[in-house]
Amino acid sequence: MKKQVVLALAATFIMSVAGTALAAPVNHFNDVPANHWSYEAVTKLNQAGIVSGYGDGTFRGERTLTRYEMAQIVANALTKLEKATDEQKALIEKLSIEYSSELENLGVRMAAMEAKSDNVKFNGEYRIRYLGTHATDEDGVKTKDNVVDGRLRLWLTGKIDDRWQFKTRLQQISDLKTSDGHYGSSYLKAFDGDNRATYGNEGIDGTIRLNRVYVHGDLNWGTLEAGKIPLYTGNGFQYSGPIDGVAVGFGKELKVTGFFGRTLNANQISKGSYEIKNGKIITTAPEYGDNNLTGVNLDYNFTKNLNFKGAYMSANPVGSGEKFHKQKYWESALNYNLTPDLVLTGIYGGSNKDEDNRGYFGILTYKNCNTSKPGSYGMYLEYAHLEENALMDSGLTDWDLDKNQKGFYYEFNYCPAKNVKVNVNYTDWKAVKGSDKAKAYGGFVTYYF
């Protein structure tokens, strides 16, 4: 009987060895060589209190360990990853890679590796918009136009380390009125003093564009952004859009951000033209050039309810010949919380041009739709008075009134479901100088994901 047991055990051993040879897996019970780097790494983690041993809770530095025993120590360390320093996390990650097959056999979820897989995150939005415009020029000619478009934005955020992030945004806008996704014509916004049309959304061709790509770092003394970065001067009065450049911020109570870079389409070189055929406006697009923009943003909370934002900048036109010269622009804004839900904002700004160089806004904001809370809503009312030279040509990209315009803008927003926002708005303006006037109305639905 004993002989049969011995033979059975021998056969089992031979079959296991043969199977091992065929599969050629890592032998988890082989000793880790005494000079292997793992010992020094584990010793450092032990001395720091990140690991306390293996198996029975002891750390046996006096003898070599098997790979299985070493994997137990790494598994212990993975459970305390949140308490580790950056240097210790790097050691744990290196150990988890070395002993990955042993950890897998142990059934350990490799937190360090999973953190890596979650290192890049995607989110985005899709907006469908309608905008109609009825305008009357100084000669009494009435025109109307409308836009139906779709805008897709995709954000990609990658974590470089605990302080640095990489961010990029892809954007695509398509005309939903045409079958090929291209704008057949832009919508009319105004007529200038030379009886030429000014309008928006010209040049949208459905192309996917990379309009943000930059790194953001939180430093000991402040923040740094570099690349194609987003820039809001003050409350966004003079400029709100991308620049190819850098922004450096510092300060807590008084936040100061210096910026330098080249703006996109910030300087109008030619006004373009239009003609009316069979009651339809046929437009020729204006031409734009860039500005080298240098300036500073200020942000200060006087109290918990009163905030100041300001900006001062110098715009040096690029590639526009002798038509334009270096200009100075500035803005200041006060935001006051009348109640937790009601905010009153006043904005005043201008330029150093010789005349017609001032502008202001009065804004009342009540609540705002929160996409995580279905049923939430908000309302917005603004009055603007903007002289012809108050702004850079690319100013107020987030607003519905423009240069040489004064009037009202109304907005209501509502979230009918989670991650869905509905907005309806109406604009009524006339020229500060001249008799041009227009009414615009529209709305959009935005889906967030």
Side-chain angles (χ1 to χ4, degrees), residues 239-357:
Y239 188 79
S240 54
I243 66 169
D244 291 320
V246 297
V248 179
F250 56 91
K252 293 183 178 180
E253 293 184 1
L254 174 62
K255 297 178 183 178
V256 180
T257 303
F259 53 85
F260 170 78
R262 178 173 290 194
T263 64
L264 302 177
N265 295 338
N267 198 46
Q268 192 175 31
I269 297 173
S270 66
K271 293 184 176 180
S273 60
Y274 81 98
E275 58 180 333
I276 299 176
K277 290 184 178 181
N278 299 322
K280 185 176 180 180
I281 300 171
I282 307 299
T283 61
T284 299
E287 295 180 33
Y288 292 91
D290 298 338
N291 276 339
N292 281 331
L293 194 63
T294 306
V296 61
N297 274 337
L298 302 175
D299 190 332
Y300 181 71
N301 291 321
F302 290 102
T303 68
K304 67 178 182 179
N305 293 322
L306 181 61
N307 166 262
F308 167 80
K309 294 184 186 297
Y312 181 82
M313 69 216 74
S314 173
N316 189 12
V318 177
S320 59
E322 299 179 354
K323 187 177 175 84
F324 295 95
H325 303 283
K326 189 174 183 179
Q327 301 289 343
K328 310 289 186 183
Y329 297 92
W330 57 272
E331 62 180 278
S332 59
L334 288 175
N335 299 280
Y336 183 66
N337 289 73
L338 299 171
T339 71
D341 295 325
L342 189 63
V343 181
L344 177 63
T345 300
I347 308 174
Y348 184 63
S351 72
N352 67 339
K353 293 184 179 181
D354 294 335
E355 58 183 13
D356 300 328
N357 58 4

Side-chain angles (χ1 to χ4, degrees), residues 122-126 151-157 166-173 207-214 228 449:
F122 291 89
N123 65 288
E125 65 180 65
Y126 181 67
R151 185 186 73 187
L152 174 66
R153 286 178 171 175
L154 294 175
W155 275 101
L156 180 152
T157 303
F166 172 82
K167 298 183 179 182
T168 185
R169 189 180 79 182
L170 296 169
Q171 179 171 287
Q172 187 258 356
I173 303 177
T207 301
I208 298 175
R209 289 183 168 86
L210 191 66
N211 60 4
R212 301 284 192 281
V213 52
Y214 63 100
K228 191 181 292 291
F449 53 90

Side-chain angles (χ1 to χ4, degrees), residues 74 78 92-100 103 110 112-113:
V74 178
L78 284 169
I92 295 170
E93 183 177 342
K94 188 176 179 181
L95 286 164
S96 67
I97 294 171
E98 172 70 24
Y99 299 99
S100 57
L103 288 169
M110 297 172 63
M113 300 303 292

